[in-house]
Amino acid sequence: MCGIVGYIGPQQAAGLLTEGLARLEHRGYDSAGVAVLGSRLQVVKKAGRVRDLVDALPKRFAGKVGIGHTRWATHGPANDTNAHPHVSADGRVAVVHNGIVDNAASLRERLTEAGVELASDTDTEVFAHLIGLSTADTLEAKVVDALSQVEGTWGLAVVHADFPDRMVVARNGSPLIVGVGDGEMYVASDLAAVVRHTTTVAHLDDGELATVTATGFTTFRQDLTTTTTTAREVDVDPSAYEYGELDGEPRMFTEIHEQPSSVERALRGRLDERFGTAHLGGLNLDPRELRAIRRVKILGCGSAYYVGQMGAGLIEELARVPADAEAASEFRYRNPIIEPDTLYVAVSQSGETIDTLLAVQEIKRKGGRVLGVVNVVGSAIARAVDGGIYLHAGPEIAVASTKALTNMYVAFSLLALQLGRVRDLSIADGKRLIAGLQALPTQIEEILKSESHLEEIAARLAEAESMFFVGRVRGYPVAREGAQKLKEISYRHAEAYQTSELKHGPLALISESVPTVAIVPKDELTDRNVAALHEISARRGPLVVVTHPDVDLGELDALRVDVPKNEVELDPILMTIPLQLIAFHAAKALGHDVDKPRNLAKSVTVE
Ligand code: F6R
């Protein structure tokens, strides 16, 4: 979603800003802009891609202080005017903003009554005017003045022609980091924007602001009292954040193929083979506390929610604790009952999804205990929770999530194992699952070898305007994730259904132009699943069946995808891998930009 980058130092800012913005492209955006402060404040902004912005920059665009932004439209359509930065009426203040101003309508009305001519439809513009109109002496006090009138969330960066030696940045619900360079400083909403220049960063806390000059930064609260936030070296490989294609392949492709090693990373040091259990030190729960848990509630959005559903199934099966998953985006709005002996788990790749973060805050407000299952270290959700499991998937650049989801599943398997082993899961079953987990990397590799077969299937599916993905019990969230992946990057309609529910309505839609992708593992439901496939076939519905080698499909006319067999509890994740490749190749066959699907953001930081 929206991205912020800022620079102050001895170099010309424009090139550094647009390069930083290009590194945020994967988050999803519809317009971009930059402001630089030289002899005067200059702003250029454009709907479209960062390269359109670069083409629009004038030859003389000098300045060693600047801010840039990629916008994801919320208030007002994606056009040049609504793109950030926004400027004050006198043209001396420029701001970029991530988040939402909840009282934008009343602030805009007040400003209009005061004679300000608003240039855009955005909520952000009010910041520029409020700062411009403030009579306070310092830039810091002007920004604080403006913030005190605003309700909502912000990651904010401000430059002012009267204070050319500094930027002021602020965070409230939307991430903001300060990067320390050698005689120069950066700000950004995401490490990816600055990692090529520095890995020494400070994460601002909610409610915190910072003054950033070329030589350092100081932090303070909205009452102007100082805080002690310091910069730390983050242990990341900058090359992992390189944007664009890698070896000529889209990032989604590389990330799918990285899964054998990213799964290994998620398992490393966390398995106790001797006692058939897992060690998740970050849970901050001792065995007695683990035993006292009576229910598990998993919250996530989109694909993370679907993996949460797989995780809930695993926890019920292995630990025999009632567990369910719910869309975090809905949870908060039904005044949820928070129980002291329920373990709440927030699952998120980015750790910044606002709906999931707000669900965490609601639970904490009511005294609940929340764990995070998160990929991005130090992200908002990771910092808000009481403990958790990091995914160790490495940076995920492609908008469509793959390797992070697989590692979420692995994380839930480890949690289920540890919860199970303090209850009734036997040591033998624990060992059986550990062996299954250890087999995953090799089995994923095996699935990846069948890529050309999956590419052919994808080309066939891409011809259909609409299709079903079906599965039962463990297979249902797999079907949901398969449908999600296909629709988000190929723009084909794909609906997930429980196989058992087809006969209660949607069978009416089956025809030779509506294919079905069916998840049919070798388990206690295989026969019933196969029977349902016959009903689809009888209505001439084309079938793709993701199954295990020893499942007998009889006379069924189906394209078959065989996945190596693991333990029944771990089969779902292996069945997800071919669906990633099918979605990828369908999107490619249709000529879509796989890494930057339309209308989809990498981290959804607005409600
Ligand atoms: C699907 C996808 C989205 C995310 C969802 C949650 O490929 O990427 O559905 O899964 O927006 O994002 P995180 O996991 O960052 O909270």
Side-chain angles (χ1 to χ4, degrees):
M1 263 196 157
C2 303
I4 290 177
V5 61
Y7 173 80
I8 182 162
Q11 305 188 61
Q12 288 298 332
L16 292 164
L17 295 176
T18 51
E19 184 234 31
L21 293 181
R23 286 171 191 279
L24 295 177
E25 281 197 302
H26 68 278
R27 293 171 63 101
Y29 70 107
D30 45 46
S31 50
V34 284
V36 294
L37 189 51
S39 54
R40 64 195 169 98
L41 183 66
Q42 280 180 281
V43 178
V44 177
K45 42 198 204 164
K46 275 267 156 249
R49 295 281 174 204
V50 172
R51 61 174 173 271
D52 301 318
L53 171 70
V54 173
D55 291 344
L57 293 182
K59 282 220 169 59
R60 294 168 66 82
F61 197 62
K64 297 177 180 176
V65 189
I67 51 179
H69 191 260
T70 47
R71 172 176 186 251
W72 171 277
T74 54
H75 286 67
N79 58 31
D80 294 357
T81 314
N82 287 336
H84 302 203
H86 288 282
V87 289
S88 57
D90 62 5
R92 300 190 72 72
V93 182
V95 300
V96 291
H97 165 228
N98 289 353
I100 299 272
V101 178
D102 293 336
N103 58 339
S106 63
L107 288 173
R108 285 174 65 92
E109 210 175 289
R110 231 171 66 202
L111 286 164
T112 310
E113 277 164 16
V116 174
E117 252 182 64
L118 292 160
S120 74
D121 311 310
T122 66
D123 53 346
T124 299
E125 190 184 345
V126 301
F127 282 109
H129 295 299
L130 293 174
I131 296 167
L133 291 173
S134 167
T135 53
D137 294 340
T138 62
L139 180 54
E140 291 74 2
K142 284 178 190 291
V143 174
V144 161
D145 215 4
L147 292 183
S148 67
Q149 300 170 65
V150 171
E151 289 158 25
T153 54
W154 54 82
L156 190 74
V158 183
V159 289
H160 194 310
D162 296 348
F163 305 92
D165 67 333
R166 63 195 54 209
M167 291 184 278
V168 169
V169 294
R171 171 189 173 132
N172 188 38
S174 212
L176 213 291
I177 59 170
V178 179
V180 180
D182 189 7
E184 58 185 12
M185 298 285 292
Y186 294 84
V187 301
S189 53
D190 188 314
L191 189 59
V194 298
V195 77
R196 206 170 73 92
H197 306 288
T198 177
T199 49
T200 307
V201 298
H203 289 263
L204 294 195
D205 274 327
D206 278 342
E208 210 173 21
L209 297 92
T211 301
V212 185
T213 65
T215 51
F217 72 102
T218 50
T219 54
F220 54 99
R221 289 189 204 93
Q222 238 169 276
D223 60 6
L224 292 172
T225 55
T226 55
T227 55
T228 54
T229 300
T230 49
R232 293 219 170 93
E233 184 64 27
V234 286
D235 183 20
V236 294
D237 171 12
S239 68
Y241 288 84
E242 286 304 314
Y243 61 94
E245 296 190 337
L246 209 62
D247 304 326
E249 293 290 355
R251 294 305 284 251
M252 185 181 175
F253 177 89
T254 336
E255 287 164 7
I256 290 173
H257 283 266
E258 203 190 314
Q259 291 176 108
S261 58
S262 55
V263 165
E264 248 167 41
R265 278 200 300 275
L267 291 173
R268 200 167 294 154
R270 288 169 160 175
L271 294 174
D272 180 339
E273 291 178 57
R274 193 158 154 234
F275 294 107
T277 188
H279 280 310
L280 295 165
L283 299 185
N284 300 331
L285 291 166
D286 63 29
R288 191 186 293 254
E289 290 169 309
L290 281 175
R291 270 198 72 89
I293 293 164
R294 298 205 158 261
R295 183 179 291 277
V296 178
K297 175 101 193 164
I298 299 169
L299 296 155
C301 292
S303 294
Y305 160 41
Y306 302 145
V307 185
Q309 211 180 9
M310 297 181 204
L314 268 168
I315 290 167
E316 281 204 352
E317 276 197 80
L318 297 180
R320 302 307 295 157
V321 178
D324 75 324
E326 182 174 341
S329 48
E330 291 284 293
F331 176 74
R332 199 164 63 99
Y333 290 98
R334 55 176 188 77
N335 190 18
I337 299 162
I338 302 302
E339 296 157 316
D341 45 11
T342 294
L343 178 66
Y344 295 88
V345 184
V347 55
S348 172
Q349 185 287 130
S350 61
E352 302 290 350
T353 300
I354 194 78
D355 286 318
T356 312
L357 179 61
L358 292 173
V360 169
Q361 289 169 350
E362 173 75 4
I363 296 163
K364 296 205 72 174
R365 247 192 309 274
K366 292 182 170 175
R369 182 197 289 271
V370 199
L371 293 183
V373 172
V374 171
N375 196 36
V376 178
V377 176
S379 55
I381 294 171
R383 290 191 297 156
V385 290
D386 301 301
I389 312 171
Y390 274 124
L391 299 178
H392 298 300
E396 194 177 63
I397 304 292
V399 170
S401 188
T402 54
K403 63 174 182 168
L405 299 178
T406 302
N407 279 19
M408 284 173 193
Y409 188 88
V410 171
F412 282 123
S413 313
L414 295 169
L415 180 61
L417 191 56
Q418 195 163 336
L419 276 173
R421 287 289 294 123
V422 296
R423 291 184 163 71
D424 297 334
L425 188 75
S426 69
I427 191 162
D429 269 334
K431 287 184 175 180
R432 173 177 70 77
L433 282 151
I434 287 182
L437 285 166
Q438 286 167 330
L440 286 176
T442 314
Q443 291 184 317
I444 294 174
E445 241 157 49
E446 223 171 289
I447 298 169
L448 298 177
K449 283 188 196 139
S450 59
E451 183 153 7
S452 56
H453 176 52
L454 295 167
E455 190 173 351
E456 279 166 33
I457 291 175
R460 300 266 279 275
L461 289 176
E463 287 168 16
E465 288 293 335
S466 189
M467 66 200 85
F468 281 106
F469 279 68
V470 299
R472 292 194 70 169
V473 190
R474 298 183 199 102
Y476 176 52
V478 176
R480 293 185 92 183
E481 170 50 17
Q484 161 102 331
K485 205 90 310 161
L486 192 111
K487 60 188 154 197
E488 66 188 353
I489 56 172
S490 76
Y491 319 148
R492 291 300 199 218
H493 174 244
E495 187 170 350
Y497 239 88
Q498 290 102 329
T499 318
S500 52
E501 283 287 300
L502 276 181
K503 58 183 179 297
H504 296 293
L507 214 47
L509 286 173
I510 298 293
S511 74
E512 54 200 351
S513 58
V514 180
T516 300
V517 179
I519 311 302
V520 184
K522 175 79 184 160
D523 62 9
E524 58 283 3
L525 286 169
T526 312
D527 293 345
R528 287 177 193 277
N529 270 319
V530 174
L533 300 191
H534 280 286
E535 290 182 32
I536 294 169
S537 201
R539 286 155 186 83
R540 289 187 296 163
L543 279 168
V544 174
V545 184
V546 182
T547 188
H548 288 125
D550 56 351
V551 170
D552 182 6
L553 296 180
E555 300 294 295
L556 263 185
D557 181 15
L559 291 167
R560 183 176 178 129
V561 176
D562 278 319
V563 169
K565 183 83 185 83
N566 197 305
E567 300 300 327
V568 277
E569 299 90 337
L570 302 178
D571 284 331
I573 200 56
L574 288 170
M575 299 213 141
T576 315
I577 311 290
L579 303 184
Q580 299 171 344
L581 283 167
I582 286 176
F584 172 82
H585 284 290
K588 242 180 115 179
L590 291 163
H592 300 313
D593 183 344
V594 178
D595 282 347
K596 295 190 202 88
R598 70 183 183 204
N599 299 344
L600 183 65
K602 187 65 186 162
S603 31
V604 183
T605 48
V606 293
E607 262 197 271

